[in-house]
Amino acid sequence: MSQTLSYDVAHLIGAIVLMAGFTLLYQRRVFAVLNTFAFQAFALAAAAAWQAHVQNAPHLWATAAIALIFKAILVPLALHWLVEKLGIHRAVEPALSIAWTMIVGVALVGLSILLVLPVTANAAALTRESLALAMSVVLLGLLMMITRHNAVTQVVGFMALENGLILAAVSAKGMPLVVEISIAFSVLVAMTLFGIFFFRIRERFDTLDVNSLETWRGEGH
Amino acid sequence: MTPVLLQLLQLLLVVTAAPLVTGWVRLVKARLQARRGPPLLQPYRDLYRLLQKEAIVAPSASWVFRAAPYLTFSAIWLAAMIIPTFSIDLYLIPAADLIALVALLGLARFATALAGMDIGTAFGGLGASREMLIASLAEPAMLMVTFTLSLLSGSTSPAIVAEFVLHGGIGLSVSAGLALVAMILVAIAENGRIPIDNPATHLELTMVHEAMVLEYSGRHLAMMEAAGMVRLTLYIGLIGCLFLPWGIALPGASGLELAGGLAMWAVRTLALSTALAVFETSIAKMRVFRYGDFLGGALLLGLLAAIFHYVSEAV
């Protein structure tokens, strides 16, 4: 198989992950957000599997399996269950209108490209593209975290950010398996903690809107 | 001599095949919705029936109203002539590029919107204003796609882009993928297909295109309907020739290759129109206030496609 073809397929899968990041910002229903997130994790698993195949690195198969089982299946199912259990308001309430979020998202993609270009001046153009893609996914996850009121969508933003990190990691050669497994488990722990926090926040304030936390931070008032 | 003959063939082919494509989309949609649906050739019968009928024009209508159907139809027909469908060796190909194509489609839209306002009814004005809202977002998105493709292939002519893709010049590029998605979104909006506009409804709250042509009857309506059908075929042909040009006949092709090009064009059209019907069945109509998000998304995708071109090209 030719070198360029393997890179092209990798970039194409990376672009699908990025598109899923934009779709996350575009959704207006909590369940649609969760389904899109599952799709993004699935694309990520495909990216990892492709790299495992191309680099002939068996440990990347483990990464792909972790992404598929935990992030594409378990985490979305758990969040589904939480949303139903807590009876959360199903509509996403963006702090910034959807159109503006998309525009800011494109600006962030531009920013990540500007960042990546000087840093990787000596690297091949091919690495540069995958790094730019992964960086954009990370920034879009951050954007999702700051533009949504609801705690569930913020958690999805966090998970999407982490998807971007894994995407960057699998495109670089030779990341040890220990790192990936520890990341995967820390995400699971985070997920559990978030779940507990959901229950606590809701018990306290009867809503998952994090704005109601602000009066309790002790900043003035 | 051959380019002229091929051009004439394409001229006739696009117009005769357009009602068939529309009929096929309607039939597949009906079957997916568990209806029997109209026969495949119904659009031909509809056009024939409309041409037989008397054209009634409101007393308040000016010449704009009477001229608009012909202007719309001829602009779209001309646009359809400069897109290579089965062969890229057409007589008019060197005369116009993708930017001229956007301009021709814009001219057709302008004529239809003027006609919608000319008659002075509330629906006509409403449809025209909505159509212009869609156009103001879809046109820049279409131009961004054009720019991306011309950055990739070095030309804005659809024939040269097709030839470039055919020889593996673009390959599996992220930019081309993003441009394809943006192009599909624009095509859906421009043809008034489901998330944006429902071609099968006359409900006043949702109609866009139908609201503008509501006052037309007889041969005028036939021209407007035919223009819509040709536009659908044109967009399917455009997506096919820019992104999936395999099998298209090159200059100096033999008769057999031309037949192969025709067959491949038929296959592409069949596949894309079936995909359109499936897509339309699986999605709900969008609120008018969300058009901006949908088409803004197309514009941003076009922009991203151009940005990613620079990353992969290296500085």
Side-chain angles (χ1 to χ4, degrees), chain B residues 15-27:
Chain B
V15 169
T16 45
L20 190 66
V21 174
T22 306
W24 173 252
V25 173
R26 284 185 194 160
L27 186 70

Side-chain angles (χ1 to χ4, degrees), chain B residues 241-292:
Chain B
C241 104
L242 291 181
F243 295 97
L244 324 151
W246 290 277
I248 206 164
L250 296 171
S254 65
L256 198 64
E257 281 171 321
L258 280 177
L262 273 173
M264 277 310 290
W265 174 69
V267 168
R268 275 200 301 267
T269 309
L270 192 69
L272 288 173
S273 51
T274 311
L276 172 68
V278 173
F279 177 75
E280 276 199 296
T281 311
S282 59
I283 203 160
K285 169 85 174 61
M286 202 176 260
R287 288 171 61 209
V288 173
F289 296 116
R290 291 197 57 190
Y291 291 174

Side-chain angles (χ1 to χ4, degrees), chain B residues 54-175:
Chain B
E54 186 192 357
I56 296 171
V57 178
S60 61
S62 72
W63 62 272
V64 173
F65 186 77
R66 277 186 291 272
Y70 303 103
L71 186 58
T72 307
F73 183 79
S74 37
I76 290 181
W77 200 9
L78 189 60
M81 278 196 281
I82 59 179
I83 297 171
T85 51
F86 61 93
S87 166
I88 58 176
D89 190 20
L90 300 177
Y91 188 66
L92 282 179
I93 286 287
D97 60 0
L98 286 169
I99 296 171
L101 177 83
V102 175
L104 278 172
L105 292 171
L107 178 66
R109 192 184 305 108
F110 176 68
T112 315
L114 267 192
M117 291 196 292
D118 180 63
I119 203 79
T121 63
F123 280 147
L126 181 135
S129 98
R130 285 181 180 172
E131 179 83 0
M132 284 300 135
L133 166 72
I134 295 173
S136 66
L137 292 160
E139 249 172 44
M142 176 83 179
L143 281 175
M144 280 316 298
V145 173
T146 307
F147 292 153
T148 307
L149 288 174
S150 52
L151 281 172
L152 284 167
S153 65
S155 165
T156 53
S157 160
I160 296 178
V161 175
E163 218 169 337
F164 191 73
V165 175
L166 208 54
H167 294 143
I170 290 181
L172 275 173
S173 137
V174 173
S175 302

Side-chain angles (χ1 to χ4, degrees), chain A residues 5 8-9 11-12 15 18-19 22 26 28 98-99 102-103 105-106 109-110 113 117 125-126 128-129 132-133 136, chain B residues 170-175 177-178 181 286-287 290 292-294 297 300-301 303-304 307-308 310-315:
Chain A
L5 181 70
D8 280 345
V9 173
H11 290 161
L12 215 55
L18 180 63
M19 279 305 103
F22 272 105
Y26 180 78
R28 287 158 188 263
I98 300 267
M102 303 288 273
I103 293 169
V106 170
V109 173
I113 288 171
L117 282 182
L126 298 163
R128 192 183 298 165
E129 196 168 345
L133 279 168
S136 318
Chain B
I170 290 181
L172 275 173
S173 137
V174 173
S175 302
L178 294 174
V181 178
M286 202 176 260
R287 288 171 61 209
R290 291 197 57 190
D293 293 350
F294 183 86
L300 295 182
L301 282 176
L303 209 59
L304 274 182
I307 292 175
F308 267 97
Y310 284 106
V311 183
S312 51
E313 277 299 293
V315 175

Side-chain angles (χ1 to χ4, degrees), chain A residues 140-162:
Chain A
L140 287 186
L142 269 178
L143 179 66
M144 173 126 187
M145 287 182 76
I146 58 175
T147 56
R148 298 289 180 270
H149 286 311
N150 189 303
V152 176
T153 34
Q154 292 193 349
V155 169
V156 172
F158 173 76
M159 299 278 168
L161 185 156
E162 203 263 345

